[in-house]
Amino acid sequence: MSDDIPLAPFAHESLDSVPEPKSIIAEGSEAVKGTVHRVAGAIEAGRRPGMPLSILSNIAREAPLASLLVAFLLGVAIARRR
């Protein structure tokens, strides 16, 4: 008989498994996908009835030339401040 007793692996060795490193492209892709989902959610929330995007789209649909004039004047006013 042998006096060598096989040792059981330590419990903490199996808990700290090192994740496989992700490539920079995969990390960038995940970041872009997350951002797209958040922006799309914000746009959808703004399009609900009574919300600002819904109101703006209704105004632009009813009076497109007046909406274009207002947008142009706002652009000129903002450009002069800078």
Side-chain angles (χ1 to χ4, degrees):
M1 275 195 90
S2 172
D3 290 336
D4 296 332
I5 300 173
L7 298 174
F10 293 110
H12 63 82
E13 288 179 351
S14 64
L15 295 177
D16 290 333
S17 61
V18 178
E20 293 183 26
K22 293 183 181 178
S23 70
I24 294 174
I25 295 173
E27 289 179 10
S29 174
E30 287 179 9
V32 168
K33 286 179 185 177
T35 303
V36 166
H37 286 297
R38 286 191 298 274
V39 169
I43 290 173
E44 288 300 318
R47 286 184 179 172
R48 291 186 189 135
M51 297 300 285
L53 288 179
S54 173
I55 294 169
L56 286 174
S57 67
N58 289 339
I59 291 171
R61 191 176 305 119
E62 292 173 7
L65 290 178
S67 299
L68 184 62
L69 175 65
V70 170
F72 175 75
L73 293 175
L74 283 174
V76 169
I78 291 172
R80 283 192 173 182
R81 288 185 180 179
R82 294 182 182 195

